[in-house]
Amino acid sequence: MAVATLPHGAAAAHGDHGEVDQLYVETRALRLQGFLLFLVSDCVLFSSFIFAYLYMRNSGQGWPPAGINHLDVAFAAVNSVVLFGSGATMHYALENWKHNNFGKYAFFMIATIILGAMFLAGQAYEYTNLYFKEHVSWAGSGIFGAGFFTLTGMHGFHVTVGVIYLTVLFLQSVHGVYTKDKYFGLTAGTLYWHFVDVIWVALFSIFYLI
Amino acid sequence: MSTTAEHAGGIAGHIHPEPQGFIRRYVFSIDHKIIGIQYLITGFVFLVLAGLLAEIIRTQLLHANGGFVSNDVYNEVYSIHGSAMVWLVVIPIVTGAFGNIIMPLQIGARDVAFPWLNMLSFWIFPVAGLMLFSSFLMGAPVAGWTEYPPMSLLGGPGTSMWAAAIFLVGVSSTLTGINFVVTMFQMRAPGMTFTRMPLFCWAQLATAPLLMIATTALAAALAALFMERQFGVPFFDPTKGGSPIMWQHMFWFYSHPAVYIMVLPMFGAISEIIPTFARKPIFGYKMIAFSSMAIALAGFMVWAHHMFTSGLAPYLQLPFMILTFTIAIPTGVKFFSWVATLWGGKIHYTSSMMFALAFVALFTFGGLTGVFLAAVPFDLHVHGTYWIVGHFHYVLVGGSLTGIFASTYFWFPKFAGRMLNETLGKIHFWLFFIGVNMTFLPQHWLGSLGMPRRVPEYDPQFQTWNDVSSIGSYIMTLGILVFFVNVLVSMRNGKKAPPNPWGARTLEWQIPSPPHYYNFKHIPTVFGLPYDFSQPLPYKGLEEELTDSPVHAGAH
Ligand SMILES: [Cu+2]
């Protein structure tokens, strides 16, 4: 049963003697499903805080409260493009790995890591601006501060973990941990990175657009 | 569908040698059976501790003026009693203990999908438990197990410790849920389609997504409470723009499904025990399986029935009331299936079966009072009274804990290799059954007369029934003591358990007691449901399980 549900890529995996490496195929199926479920529960964590923020917004005296016009939407939009761009480069990195194109893989992987780091730098700039110029803080600015810094902070933490994770994956791939047929770590890294992108779509919408 | 040959090179044919050192074998074990037993022992230790707290509560309430402990200590005691019973006793035992020990055996697997993750899940749990109890040292939480703000914002420093501890138990639950879903989706023996899976596994399959999703929502609420208490981030304090009602939404979005986390696995266990001792096929296999899923799904849409007095808009009260009523339908389906299974059966009154029958009766009572509570007008009358306390103790003690005892009498021979003493089992049963009803039935009367919950002293008119309740709780405790004596004595001196002492038909009973490290010498092939008593067993490939032949590991 486990065998029948495999994606095409893994089913074609070959062992040392030209046979299907059944252990790898089955283990990969387990890990893929487990990782996806982990992302689902992580998504629930974000959703709960998003619910909390929107609930507080709608239970108050109207939104936005007087004197709140602090967010630099244009800057955040550019920063978002940086993050979404890293999603695209990650996609190409994995595709090139699958097609045994190590040079291009390395280029796109490093680009992803750099773009991720740039996004974090942009977020740090935004935080310092808010805190020192606009005097918006986590604990001192009511529900906006609580919601904004908690959610974007959680997301930033996920991006930080992602940048470290991708760096480790890259070093592993340089040292030959993954092969053309066995690269589950890279698949997981790609899934995680896309997940972080999707969460940002939701956060950008609730904080900057509506 | 894969054949046995295809499996030989895969996970099923890949067996690590059994670890030999004590530490790797019994402490940091990755064997699902050992981990399950670790959960069971740890859960029972916390049952003793939280049970002692319960007796402090009942002793305090022997007299209208209290006086056994101070009012402040009393608040701490009932808060930790509730938290510990829910998160450290019932949830870990019904999922972590019995889910771990039994589920992989029933689906014909060698272990869960992620054995190392399983070990991690377990070891988080005792650490979190110690953190929870250590909050007594720094001023334990005082706002009950629900910890509503603003009270929980004002509670002692231990409240933050409470939040951190429950958060950690939640992480452990979430990881277990992921592990179980993947195990059941990917590691069933050849031929075991979902519609041939034992009902205990179906119940675990319905529970696992609740563990993953609902628990994470609670984690968010706990994290928010922690941030507000430690860093002053305004989530719940209305003076800073937060909303105390939001906590109730987030808390009950988890804690209503948590009711099903605590009881669905026991529904599954009862569905195994009743056909075995009635010697009849289970009535309505598919209905029981699907009703578990229906309950799990509907459980996410009813949380606000706990909030009818919180100023919830009337147009929201009605749908929550009706949706809650509808959950009684799948639950009733199970009830009637069990009764129909018993009907005309040749019933063997073992201790396990007695507890299973008590489960059906007591849970039905607690379920029916739940339907009362879903009705808005009635709820407004009894909200926050002893009626509620009586209701949920019928569900959790009469349901979950009775189910845990039924499961222990049923499966102890399998995982411990020794039989429990039946005479002590019967004594345990009668003391416990009488005690439960004596303790919790009068609380309904106290509540409808208006006695509020969580009070250290009360109006003298309530004295009589409180005394009955307290004496009942002592009888119940005596029963549980008999149980522990039984377990401790039988563990060393009990009769050696045969592979299948009850004549049951699921896979775990077709292999030695206790099973080998690798569970099955040969992964069996499954041809049908395990409940057709009088028919030959629907398995192939089990011929060598009870012989001395070596394991077929990866030999292909
Ligand atoms: Cu509920």
Side-chain angles (χ1 to χ4, degrees), chain B residues 252 256 259 302-303 305-306:
Chain B
W252 289 113
H256 188 82
V259 175
V302 297
W303 75 92
H305 62 212
H306 296 271

Side-chain angles (χ1 to χ4, degrees), chain B residues 5-316:
Chain B
E6 268 177 295
H7 261 267
I11 292 168
H14 183 81
I15 302 174
H16 291 281
E18 185 174 9
Q20 290 307 317
F22 181 82
I23 300 270
R24 284 295 313 282
R25 206 164 170 176
Y26 297 112
V27 183
F28 295 106
S29 172
I30 55 167
D31 177 4
H32 70 97
K33 303 181 286 295
I34 299 293
I35 293 177
I37 293 169
Q38 289 175 321
Y39 265 111
L40 195 63
I41 293 170
T42 318
F44 278 145
V45 168
F46 287 129
L47 174 69
V48 171
L49 292 176
L52 284 175
L53 296 178
E55 291 311 335
I56 294 177
I57 296 173
R58 284 315 324 167
T59 306
Q60 167 87 1
L61 296 178
L62 269 175
H63 300 291
N65 305 326
F68 183 63
V69 290
S70 77
N71 294 359
D72 291 336
V73 170
Y74 183 79
N75 290 342
E76 299 183 351
V77 166
Y78 68 69
S79 301
I80 299 292
H81 161 73
S83 309
M85 282 295 190
V86 168
W87 285 298
L88 303 182
V89 179
V90 175
I91 294 179
I93 290 182
V94 299
T95 61
F98 288 112
N100 255 320
I101 301 173
I102 303 304
M103 182 270 289
L105 294 173
Q106 282 195 336
I107 62 171
R110 294 209 194 278
D111 207 324
V112 293
F114 308 110
W116 286 93
L117 193 69
N118 205 17
M119 180 178 88
L120 178 70
S121 297
F122 169 73
W123 278 105
I124 294 174
F125 158 51
V127 172
L130 290 178
M131 281 168 64
L132 181 67
F133 277 94
S134 75
S135 66
F136 272 120
L137 303 175
M138 54 187 93
V142 291
W145 78 287
T146 54
E147 288 299 315
Y148 280 7
M151 265 304 283
S152 54
L153 297 176
L154 304 171
T159 312
S160 300
M161 188 56 118
W162 173 89
I166 306 300
F167 184 94
L168 277 183
V169 190
V171 172
S172 158
S173 286
T174 306
L175 297 179
T176 303
I178 292 174
N179 217 338
F180 281 10
V181 170
V182 178
T183 306
M184 276 179 279
F185 264 88
Q186 307 273 359
M187 296 176 74
R188 282 166 291 130
M192 182 170 284
T193 55
F194 274 119
T195 48
R196 288 175 187 167
M197 200 163 69
L199 286 166
F200 179 74
C201 296
W202 264 104
Q204 293 287 347
L205 189 63
T207 310
L210 302 181
L211 284 175
M212 273 162 40
I213 294 170
T215 311
T216 321
L218 176 73
L222 292 166
L225 182 68
F226 187 88
M227 289 188 272
E228 175 143 9
R229 287 182 49 90
Q230 298 304 115
F231 310 114
V233 186
F235 284 103
F236 305 117
D237 184 349
T239 61
K240 294 189 205 155
S243 163
I245 301 294
M246 189 178 74
W247 167 268
Q248 300 187 20
H249 279 295
M250 294 171 89
F251 183 83
W252 289 113
F253 184 76
Y254 160 80
S255 284
H256 188 82
V259 175
Y260 301 120
I261 295 177
M262 291 187 271
V263 85
L264 274 176
M266 291 299 105
F267 282 171
I270 299 306
S271 307
E272 301 292 340
I273 294 168
I274 285 184
T276 302
F277 292 117
R279 286 290 181 277
K280 266 186 69 191
I282 186 96
F283 182 89
Y285 167 85
K286 281 190 183 168
M287 292 305 279
I288 294 182
F290 293 146
S291 66
S292 292
M293 295 320 238
I295 289 173
L297 209 69
F300 277 112
M301 296 182 281
V302 297
W303 75 92
H305 62 212
H306 296 271
M307 300 166 58
F308 288 149
T309 56
S310 71
L312 195 71
Y315 68 86
L316 282 175

